[in-house]
Amino acid sequence: MTSYPSIKRIQLSVFLISVALIAYEIILFKIFSIQYWHHFAYLIVSIALLGFGSSGTFIFLFKTKLKNNFSTILYLFPLLLLLSIWINIYLSYVIAFNPLMIIWQPLETLNLLYVSLAMFIPFFLGAVCIGLSFSVCPDNIHKIYFSNMTGSGIGSLLILLTVFHLGPYEIILIISIITVCATLAAASSRMRIVVSAVILIAIVPLYFILLHDKPVYMSKFKDLSIARSQMGAEIEAETFGPLGLVTVLESPAYHYLPDLSLNCPFKLPKQKGLFINGNSAGAINKFTGNLKDVRFMDYRTTSLPYKLLNEPDVLIIGGGRGTEILNAKYHTAKDISVVEMNGDIIRLMQGEYRHFSGDIYNPEKCRIFVEDGRGYLQNTRRKFDLIQISLLESMESASAGVYSLNENYLFTTESLKICLGRLNPGGILNISRWIKNPPRDCIKLLTTAISALEAKNAPGSIIMIRSWQTATLLIKNGSFKRKEIETAKKFCKSRLFDFCYYPGIKEEETNIVNKLDESYFFLVAESLLSGEGENLYNEYPFYIRPSTDDMPFFGHFFKLAVLKKYLAPYGRISIPLIDWGYILVWIALCILVLLSLILILAPIKLIGGSPGGKTPVFIYFGALGLAYMFLEMSFLQQFIRYLYDPVFSASVVIGSFLIYSGIGSLIAGRIGTVRPKHVFFAVAFIVTVGIIYMKSDQLLQNTLSGFSLWMRMLICSLLIAPLAVPMGIPFPSGLSRLAGKGEALIPWAWGINGFFSVIGASVTVLIAIQWGFKSVILSALVLYILSAVIYRKIGRG
Amino acid sequence: MRKKMVKSQIIRRGIQDEDVIQAMISVPRHRFVPKKWISMAYNDTPLPIGYGQTISQPYIVAYMTEVLNLDKGSRVLEIGTGSGYQAAILSCIVKKVHTIEIIPELAESASLRLKKIGYQNVEVTCSDGYYGWPEHAPFDAIIVTAAAGHIPPPLLKQLKKGGRMVIPVGGHFMIQSLVLVEKDNTGKITTRNLMAVRFVPLTGEHE
């Protein structure tokens, strides 16, 4: 009989591998967001995660050999995993993948697959170790699952702890050390222990020789790469944090102020480029303290509210490089509050760039809040005369549809209502956006604003103006007066800006200086305010329905009508008009489904007459994979609104879900034989808690808003427990049932669950975009009920 | 190959200016793209030329040139020489092309390439295009080949009364539209957003 390591050592090894894999997955996403763009990062990581699913097929096909060599595999595969992680870093510098060429040159897809498959290997190797452990320890499945889930949970918390202080390659070093420790846990001979110990000792100097201070490779087509290649440009400062890589570029050729009037008579000051993950995030303006040097501020669309308000009390959401703070100072704001969620930017502005920027982030001169804009608005009881929401992303990113999958809780109907509630009587909410062609961002902003105001208040409370490439929306708490409209008219006329809308506007007053081929904004406003909204939403070629908390995809504009209207008749010249982020999710899903079907269906023929019945196993473990991912991702989204921070939310939600599910698995293991009624009871609990949370979303949001961040994190984690503990029961119980009556199917079931978990991530986004996150939760609950019904059928011959 | 490109990508999409069409036929685009991409030089696509820069899709080059309303006596300023292809097209139509490239390597290679092929009326310099080229101002037309954070005021000053300036909007691979800036005879400035697909007459097989 083959001897295996003790269950304790297997558990420890699985635990450490799980820590390493989840940490690697998260850091890989961050690295790819720097190398390329975040939607490509999503695509690559999704394909790479197929490693989990295919491991099941691999184990199934070679089960005898693998089981016989389990001790060696549990030792060797983590070493290979470590090697593949380091090789992948090397490959990232040598594979010439240009994501932007994919839409023009389909062959570039091969490079994408090449990159994805290279990244697939570490996940495959790690997943084989975990999946094989289930197969060789049929009596301890709950314990293995507990180690797997708690390891994954702790891995995601590890990232939360390290990402504030360490760079991406330093985190890779930690992952490498954990992986070597996994081999130590599995080492069954003195020789193996010595080899692992040598690697452990060698890895740190190797890191310093090969990776320390090495910048992450960045595509030549990212804003930062392009700006760097210009004459005299050099990187001055760089810092990596939970919200990405922040870079400051010194370049004599960097000039940035998108909403500046064409006839501004004043020179721009010297500027330094600010980039996040290599994407332009505007410029830091040199400010000597002399307001005369920044007179250009008066020639921006964003400055209109200052003409309508007298020494306002201002709240700036998205302080970033400080341009809006400077604008508020120039316009003699009485009091300035700034909300910026990226602490790294504030540290740079208060540190190295304090003098250059004129110390505009001095906490004695303005109130500074390092938090999410929506969160601040939700929590504060203060009221303001002016709330200013800056232009937050670069045109390059906006035009490529990069943000189409980003959940944005700042530009939802509910959020704008909160903003309006934080305005003093007569106060103004001021939001600027890029004008895409054909217009869609600003149109959606308009529809969302009108939805927030409700039809009866909207006509009198909106002014929208635009320059040649940006639009600024003003929403007043109250109605604009005739005198204010006259002031706005003078402002626009003298600065070559156009009106999109003001109360009482006529079409001939629009589209005069900066001509679009139609008066889009006027026509949209007129339709919406005359109750023709539904027709407009249906007929407009882009998706412009108001964004809501349940469907918070402000950047999602894609409709099939776009392809029909533009791509079909005009071919390739219309490619830039399409928002590719959404299409890439579909592409990812198609690739994943195709590969999954090949890798899942292929072994079915080989199973032949094995016991257990294949269809119930497929449905049960597939449904569990999808349902788990649906709930995890939906709650991650929902909890962003409780924690007001996507990084904290991701860490708390993922970490809590996995750890509690691991505990659930352990509890199920204590029960002994898990009967259908136990699974049914667990599912009934999941469904009940899921529905309670769905119904009490608003109540929870309001209740939690009064607590500190750490308290909210703790409460959120505890709130997840009643849901996640029972979620940890059905999967290991299903495997245990197979262990009794259809052991051959265990690796296959592991693979199916892995595939559907990966697909679940893409499907969640697609369902949420179409029907909202509540529909995702409902789908998950239905899938859990289905799995409870199917449970008694698995493991039957 | 060039004729086929012009017929299928340029004329069929509605470019009518005979000078632009002739220029697109005469300029050997394949000599302006890196070796790796030569086989795709006449395809309906932008191509990378290094340093994060691209040579635009042929139609965009033709369209940007046409909207400038150039004639034999025009003097044009180009911001962003890149490979030199756009400057070569312009040089076939106008009297003099002044082109500025901020990436030293590209400025040098484009200058050499243009000289080697024989475009004598193109002057290349390596500097920051934001400030234009005041020594040669004013210009009848200005063409900015890379999307800009904003329209540089010095360029507007260097544009003649009655002159036109064209600027792409979007990314290098994603030119969504062109902004045409017009300075009338009184010096008044207006802009027009030219969306490529909306301005394409449905001719040829699309009719």
Side-chain angles (χ1 to χ4, degrees):
Chain A
M1 191 178 158
T2 315
S3 73
Y4 297 140
S6 69
I7 183 64
K8 294 270 178 218
R9 283 170 58 196
I10 294 174
Q11 268 191 278
L12 180 59
S13 186
V14 166
F15 173 83
L16 291 169
I17 292 169
S18 303
V19 172
L21 284 185
I22 194 104
Y24 183 57
E25 179 193 334
I26 298 171
I27 202 65
L28 203 56
F29 187 83
K30 290 193 175 290
I31 290 174
F32 277 126
S33 296
I34 296 170
Q35 285 186 351
Y36 306 115
W37 288 267
H38 94 267
H39 54 324
F40 285 101
Y42 168 81
L43 188 59
I44 293 167
V45 174
S46 295
I47 296 172
L49 288 177
L50 277 178
F52 277 97
S54 53
S55 69
T57 309
F58 177 75
I59 297 168
F60 175 78
L61 292 175
F62 304 102
K63 52 184 174 288
T64 312
K65 270 191 178 174
L66 293 172
K67 278 170 113 175
N68 290 341
N69 295 290
F70 176 63
S71 299
T72 307
I73 283 163
L74 200 60
Y75 175 78
L76 190 63
F77 274 33
L79 279 184
L80 293 174
L81 188 161
L82 168 70
L83 188 66
S84 62
I85 287 176
W86 284 59
I87 289 174
N88 282 347
I89 294 172
Y90 168 75
L91 286 177
S92 70
Y93 290 91
V94 296
I95 296 176
F97 169 51
N98 177 7
L100 296 176
M101 272 302 278
I102 283 182
I103 52 170
W104 301 101
Q105 170 59 280
L107 279 177
E108 194 69 25
T109 312
L110 292 178
N111 275 334
L112 170 68
L113 282 177
Y114 185 33
V115 172
S116 304
L117 291 175
M119 302 304 150
F120 161 99
I121 291 168
F123 295 104
F124 170 78
L125 292 166
V128 166
C129 295
I130 301 167
L132 197 57
S133 301
F134 285 122
S135 277
V136 299
C137 306
D139 300 331
N140 288 297
I141 282 174
H142 289 93
K143 285 183 180 171
I144 305 284
Y145 190 64
F146 169 74
S147 304
N148 175 214
M149 297 304 256
T150 46
S152 300
I154 286 173
S156 67
L157 294 175
L158 174 81
I159 290 288
L160 173 67
L161 292 174
T162 53
V163 82
F164 283 97
H165 309 288
L166 303 176
Y169 289 156
E170 287 164 321
I171 294 173
I172 290 280
L173 172 66
I174 292 174
I175 292 169
S176 303
I177 291 169
I178 292 169
T179 311
V180 183
C181 290
T183 67
L184 274 171
S188 54
S189 68
R190 187 177 293 249
M191 178 60 109
R192 285 181 180 176
I193 293 171
V194 169
V195 170
S196 293
V198 168
I199 293 172
L200 195 59
I201 293 164
I203 208 158
V204 176
L206 264 177
Y207 160 80
F208 278 101
I209 295 166
L210 298 174
L211 292 180
H212 185 61
D213 281 344
K214 195 175 173 80
V216 171
Y217 168 81
M218 192 177 282
S219 164
K220 301 284 178 218
F221 296 93
K222 293 201 84 164
D223 298 339
L224 177 60
S225 301
I226 294 168
R228 268 186 88 175
S229 61
Q230 295 176 347
M231 200 172 52
E234 62 174 323
I235 287 177
E236 269 191 354
E238 204 159 60
T239 169
F240 180 74
L243 295 177
L245 181 73
V246 178
T247 311
V248 180
L249 183 86
E250 157 60 27
S251 168
Y254 198 82
H255 316 282
Y256 185 92
L257 200 61
D259 65 342
L260 189 68
S261 159
L262 291 175
N263 64 353
C264 174
F266 306 111
K267 276 172 71 174
L268 291 187
K270 183 170 171 46
Q271 297 181 315
K272 290 182 193 284
L274 182 72
F275 300 82
I276 298 174
N277 282 341
N279 302 312
S280 174
I284 306 170
N285 295 291
K286 184 176 172 64
F287 180 51
T288 58
N290 184 352
L291 289 173
K292 278 188 177 173
D293 295 343
V294 290
R295 281 178 292 183
F296 65 89
M297 286 289 177
D298 208 30
Y299 281 75
R300 304 172 57 211
T301 54
T302 311
S303 299
L304 173 58
Y306 291 106
K307 301 290 168 193
L308 310 177
L309 298 163
N310 189 26
E311 296 186 358
D313 183 354
V314 184
L315 168 67
I316 295 161
I317 307 241
R321 69 271 184 188
T323 305
E324 297 315 326
I325 306 175
L326 206 49
N327 199 14
K329 279 185 190 295
Y330 177 76
H331 286 100
T332 60
K334 186 174 69 191
D335 191 275
I336 304 170
S337 303
V338 185
V339 178
E340 169 57 58
M341 73 183 298
N342 196 326
D344 289 330
I345 294 180
I346 293 182
R347 275 186 286 281
L348 282 169
M349 295 294 286
Q350 289 178 332
E352 286 166 81
Y353 295 94
R354 189 175 142 220
H355 292 296
F356 182 84
S357 65
D359 201 11
I360 49 168
Y361 266 97
N362 186 333
E364 287 173 13
K365 295 176 187 166
C366 57
R367 298 163 217 267
I368 297 160
F369 303 92
V370 186
E371 59 181 300
D372 170 64
R374 170 74 184 264
Y376 176 79
L377 287 164
Q378 189 93 33
N379 286 330
T380 187
R381 292 290 165 260
R382 279 195 66 195
K383 297 215 171 187
F384 302 90
D385 300 319
L386 173 61
I387 299 177
Q388 184 97 267
I389 302 181
S390 328
L391 201 56
L392 298 171
E393 72 267 16
S394 72
M395 180 59 185
E396 175 93 16
S397 307
S399 68
V402 162
Y403 294 99
S404 55
L405 305 178
N406 266 19
E407 304 81 21
N408 187 331
Y409 288 102
L410 196 54
F411 296 131
T412 64
T413 303
E414 292 87 343
S415 176
L416 294 190
K417 275 183 182 168
I418 295 169
C419 280
L420 293 169
R422 299 289 175 265
L423 287 174
N424 286 319
I428 293 173
L429 167 64
N430 184 37
I431 308 172
S432 291
R433 302 286 306 170
W434 294 100
I435 297 176
K436 281 180 158 188
N437 291 295
R440 50 202 111 151
D441 289 52
C442 303
I443 300 279
K444 197 163 182 174
L445 181 62
L446 198 56
T447 63
T448 307
I450 289 173
S451 156
L453 281 164
E454 293 163 6
K456 62 179 169 39
N457 298 325
S461 307
I462 289 176
I463 288 181
M464 194 174 194
I465 62 170
R466 64 182 174 87
S467 68
W468 66 283
Q469 65 173 354
T470 62
T472 295
L473 174 71
L474 284 70
I475 312 173
K476 188 176 173 181
N477 182 9
S479 293
F480 282 107
K481 297 186 178 87
R482 183 178 292 275
K483 196 179 159 194
E484 290 172 323
I485 293 169
E486 288 308 315
T487 305
K489 280 183 181 176
K490 275 183 200 157
F491 178 84
C492 287
K493 192 174 179 188
S494 59
R495 288 159 179 80
L496 302 179
F497 297 144
D498 279 283
F499 268 107
C500 301
Y501 180 82
Y502 68 77
I505 195 171
K506 293 185 178 115
E507 186 170 3
E508 54 268 28
E509 293 175 275
T510 65
N511 214 16
I512 294 168
V513 182
N514 304 289
K515 293 171 189 158
L516 298 169
D517 56 341
E518 278 185 49
S519 287
Y520 288 101
F521 300 98
F522 171 80
L523 296 171
V524 166
E526 200 180 52
S527 279
L528 289 170
L529 297 173
S530 61
E532 296 289 317
E534 204 52 42
N535 284 345
L536 175 79
Y537 300 147
N538 292 332
E539 284 169 19
Y540 206 74
F542 296 94
Y543 185 87
I544 52 161
R545 280 181 191 277
S547 187
T548 63
D549 277 356
D550 193 38
M551 296 167 79
F553 301 96
F554 183 82
H556 168 61
F557 306 105
F558 182 83
K559 268 166 78 171
L560 274 175
V562 174
L563 300 182
K564 198 174 160 192
K565 188 174 174 73
Y566 296 115
L567 197 59
Y570 302 114
R572 286 183 153 217
I573 50 168
S574 66
I575 280 176
L577 301 179
I578 294 157
D579 299 283
W580 288 93
Y582 178 74
I583 292 178
L584 278 169
V585 184
W586 274 105
I587 291 173
L589 185 63
C590 291
I591 293 172
L592 293 172
V593 168
L594 191 70
L595 291 175
S596 304
L597 288 178
I598 292 168
L599 290 166
I600 292 174
L601 292 179
I604 282 184
K605 284 191 176 176
L606 298 165
I607 291 171
S610 72
K614 292 149 281 186
T615 310
V617 171
F618 183 91
I619 295 173
Y620 183 78
F621 288 97
L624 286 182
L626 275 180
Y628 195 98
M629 196 50 88
F630 282 2
L631 282 185
E632 192 181 55
M633 289 194 66
S634 302
F635 277 83
L636 199 155
Q637 297 309 321
Q638 190 166 325
F639 280 36
I640 287 177
R641 284 178 288 116
Y642 305 162
L643 296 172
Y644 317 123
D645 186 308
V647 180
F648 287 131
S649 177
S651 301
V652 168
V653 173
I654 295 172
S656 301
F657 259 98
L658 295 170
I659 292 170
Y660 289 132
S661 295
I663 293 169
S665 166
L666 213 55
I667 292 169
R670 294 273 160 87
I671 295 171
T673 308
V674 177
R675 298 183 189 285
K677 68 174 183 184
H678 294 130
V679 172
F680 191 80
F681 180 73
V683 166
F685 208 81
I686 295 167
V687 172
T688 310
V689 175
I691 289 171
I692 290 172
Y693 283 177
M694 262 172 74
K695 294 285 176 192
S696 53
D697 178 23
Q698 198 56 50
L699 177 72
L700 284 171
Q701 195 174 326
N702 295 339
T703 311
L704 285 170
S705 65
F707 293 97
S708 68
L709 176 65
W710 292 103
M711 200 60 197
R712 270 182 280 138
M713 283 168 71
L714 179 68
I715 296 171
C716 282
S717 175
L718 292 173
L719 281 172
I720 288 168
L723 191 66
V725 170
M727 281 167 70
I729 293 171
F731 177 77
S733 302
L735 285 188
S736 294
R737 197 169 164 85
L738 283 180
K741 299 169 185 171
E743 204 171 310
L745 290 175
I746 288 178
W748 194 59
W750 160 250
I752 288 167
N753 190 262
F755 277 125
F756 279 94
S757 301
V758 175
I759 287 171
S762 299
V763 179
T764 301
V765 174
L766 293 172
I767 294 178
I769 281 178
Q770 204 66 36
W771 296 289
F773 276 109
K774 284 189 175 139
S775 305
V776 182
I777 296 176
L778 274 178
S779 309
L781 301 183
V782 169
L783 285 167
Y784 268 115
I785 293 169
L786 175 69
S787 64
V789 172
I790 289 282
Y791 180 73
R792 62 175 66 244
K793 293 189 178 169
I794 60 169
R796 279 189 183 171
Chain B
M1 220 165 185
R2 246 172 283 160
K3 281 187 178 166
K4 192 180 162 198
M5 172 193 82
V6 169
K7 194 177 168 192
S8 63
Q9 298 172 38
I10 311 294
I11 296 172
R12 193 168 62 77
R13 286 177 175 157
I15 299 293
Q16 293 174 337
D17 187 317
E18 197 50 42
D19 290 342
V20 175
I21 291 169
Q22 284 310 315
M24 295 296 290
I25 290 173
S26 70
V27 176
R29 185 172 159 97
H30 63 277
R31 296 185 68 175
F32 292 84
V33 302
K35 274 183 189 164
K36 183 187 171 188
W37 300 105
I38 280 181
S39 63
M40 290 179 66
Y42 295 96
N43 288 7
D44 189 14
T45 166
L47 291 168
I49 56 168
Y51 305 95
Q53 304 297 312
T54 50
I55 177 170
S56 293
Q57 202 176 354
Y59 171 72
I60 295 291
V61 174
Y63 186 44
M64 286 179 81
T65 312
E66 186 179 60
V67 298
L68 287 174
N69 266 355
L70 302 166
D71 60 41
K72 300 267 181 235
S74 300
R75 291 171 61 256
V76 182
L77 173 67
E78 183 195 26
I79 308 296
T81 315
S83 67
Y85 180 66
Q86 177 72 69
I89 296 288
L90 291 167
S91 85
C92 298
I93 301 168
V94 303
K95 184 179 172 186
K96 183 80 184 176
V97 181
H98 301 276
T99 178
I100 302 174
E101 173 56 59
I102 193 158
I103 300 170
E105 294 83 353
L106 284 179
E108 195 182 336
S109 62
S111 179
L112 284 171
R113 187 178 298 120
L114 288 162
K115 272 187 194 144
K116 201 172 166 188
I117 304 174
Y119 298 103
Q120 302 297 333
N121 59 343
V122 182
E123 190 177 358
V124 185
T125 187
C126 183
S127 67
D128 181 3
Y130 181 86
Y131 301 103
W133 203 331
E135 295 84 348
H136 298 291
F139 300 97
D140 297 291
I142 298 176
I143 183 166
V144 181
T145 57
H150 69 277
I151 297 177
L155 296 188
L156 284 170
K157 277 187 192 154
Q158 290 171 30
L159 186 65
K160 259 187 194 170
K161 283 181 180 171
R164 289 176 155 208
M165 172 158 73
V166 68
I167 298 178
V169 175
H172 282 280
F173 285 86
M174 291 280 185
I175 294 175
Q176 288 186 333
S177 64
L178 304 174
V179 170
L180 179 66
V181 183
E182 292 172 290
K183 197 186 224 182
D184 72 9
N185 291 330
T186 65
K188 191 180 148 200
I189 292 166
T190 54
T191 75
R192 263 200 289 157
N193 210 305
L194 309 178
M195 257 189 304
V197 298
R198 294 303 296 259
F199 280 74
V200 179
L202 295 173
T203 57
E205 66 186 40
H206 295 315
E207 266 183 340

